Amino acid sequence: MPDVMRAAVLRAPHVVEVAEVPVPTIANPTDVIIRVERTAICGTDLHPYEGRLEVEPDIVLGHEFLGTVVATGDAVGQFSDGDRVVSSCVVSCGSCYQCRRHQPGNCAGSRIFGLGLALGDLAGGQAEYVVVPNADLTARRIPDAGTADDARFDEDILFAGDIMTTGYEAVARSMRPGDTVAVVGAGPVGLCAAMTASALGAGQVIVVDRVDTRLKEAENQGAITVNADQVEPADAVLDLTDWRGADVVVDAVGHESALLSAISLVRAGGTLSIPGVYTEDAITIPFGELYLKGIKVEMGVSHITEYMDEVIALTVAGRLRPSSIITHRMGLSEAAEAYRMFEACEATKIILDPGR
Ligand SMILES: [Zn+2]
Ligand SMILES: [Zn+2]
């Protein structure tokens, strides 16, 4: 391995620079080092990028990546050098109370790559190399693509570490076959949720957004689309469900207005599932309506490692193809421009190739 590598470094809010930094080394016997082959920019990366999450200067960004194992700690049992793996974006301990109860998203020692000291001080994967701690639990071997197009297959598998599995969990934990699933927000996670609903046998999948290009992708997946600027979403959903409302409603936005819209779409006794991220102290919601309708609410940080294997298996089977949401493929050297475009909503999903 070389001593230095290129990485997307956040110098200050809005200042991403591709710089040479030291190649990481194995610090713990449970670590592996991956040579990164594909990485992506996630909406969560905009928290440090825009300064909403305060981080130390010069962190390496990125928590969606896959690649080849090039070094393994002595205690790693599942992987050896040369294995191709995809990593969960969240690293959990595997042994605390929550982890033992299959809730790794609530792990007492939870860490996320590329988000600075407060989230566990892990260098990110928008780099040529990255350390994956607790590798036996955090990473998964990438299965053989079989007859699939290798490049496309890698792009599908890449998202098993974060957005695909987040969207998958939001639906899989709540829906039954035949259900009507409504998704508010056709961003990457919303599109992955809609894709999951179809793959798991939803009767109807309805996607609500205000941006036509995003709705177009949902439509390509076979969803019924509702542009909230043109049609009242609650009217559209009631119309499609014999005036009941949707069995499962996914809020994939993480904003008060989306939450209110989502609440208005769910049927009595239905489920409101919230993968969208909320950090507000308080939000005004119609609590009496939730109570009287007996709505079940599911939310919180995704339990990625609990659901990743299902997502990988369904991807291998060709039933989840999240690479369809990629709008831009760029080199790591173009990271600064990629972040600018992503923040400006000029791209739905950007992946970066560390090889260029
Ligand atoms: Zn993410
Ligand atoms: Zn834990």
Side-chain angles (χ1 to χ4, degrees), residues 59-344:
I59 63 163
V60 177
L61 293 163
H63 56 263
E64 293 182 306
F65 55 87
L66 61 72
T68 298
V69 174
V70 291
T72 42
D74 292 340
V76 173
Q78 296 293 314
F79 307 108
S80 29
D81 294 1
D83 285 344
R84 299 194 70 243
V85 297
V86 58
S87 174
S88 163
C89 58
V90 183
V91 178
S92 50
C93 77
S95 50
C96 72
Y97 184 83
Q98 286 87 328
C99 282
R100 295 198 312 273
R101 300 291 291 257
H102 302 284
Q103 298 165 322
N106 306 114
C107 172
S110 199
R111 293 178 284 171
I112 305 180
F113 294 94
L115 292 177
L117 210 53
L119 283 140
D121 198 19
L122 297 179
Q126 289 163 12
E128 290 180 283
Y129 296 90
V130 64
V131 173
V132 175
N134 210 5
D136 284 344
L137 180 62
T138 310
R140 296 290 185 281
R141 187 172 288 102
I142 299 174
D144 192 4
T147 56
D149 163 2
D150 282 355
R152 170 103 198 258
F153 181 70
D154 267 7
E155 292 175 355
D156 288 323
I157 288 288
L158 170 62
F159 298 136
D162 185 4
I163 54 166
M164 185 65 242
T165 302
T166 301
Y168 179 86
E169 178 185 357
V171 171
R173 68 188 169 194
S174 309
M175 80 162 259
R176 294 169 59 171
D179 274 0
T180 292
V181 177
V183 178
V184 178
V189 170
L191 290 169
C192 288
M195 194 180 301
T196 301
S198 299
L200 298 184
Q204 303 185 94
V205 183
I206 304 163
V207 176
V208 179
D209 203 293
R210 293 176 191 280
V211 182
D212 278 326
T213 49
R214 292 181 163 203
L215 288 172
K216 185 76 198 149
E217 172 55 26
E219 204 179 294
N220 291 343
Q221 289 177 19
I224 301 162
T225 57
V226 176
N227 186 324
D229 280 337
Q230 290 157 17
V231 182
E232 173 53 40
D235 291 345
V237 170
L238 287 172
D239 225 16
L240 289 160
T241 55
D242 283 336
W243 299 94
R244 284 193 305 268
D247 300 291
V248 176
V249 179
V250 177
D251 166 9
V253 178
H255 184 274
E256 190 169 346
S257 62
L259 183 57
L260 291 174
S261 176
I263 290 170
S264 75
L265 305 184
V266 63
R267 72 164 168 85
T271 301
L272 175 61
S273 182
I274 312 177
V277 177
Y278 287 88
T279 53
E280 293 85 346
D281 288 332
I283 280 184
T284 303
I285 55 167
F287 200 75
E289 183 186 338
L290 285 178
Y291 177 85
L292 291 171
K293 284 166 83 176
I295 306 300
K296 184 175 166 196
V297 182
E298 302 251 30
M299 61 181 164
V301 175
S302 189
H303 305 302
I304 300 283
T305 51
E306 283 292 312
Y307 288 90
M308 245 175 131
D309 296 296
E310 293 169 36
V311 165
I312 290 171
L314 288 168
T315 305
V316 171
R319 289 167 65 190
L320 297 173
R321 303 303 308 267
S323 62
S324 61
I325 69 173
I326 298 170
T327 52
H328 294 76
R329 293 168 176 82
M330 302 169 73
L332 178 65
S333 56
E334 301 169 280
E337 171 63 3
Y339 269 89
R340 188 203 61 74
M341 289 171 63
F342 191 58
E343 187 193 27

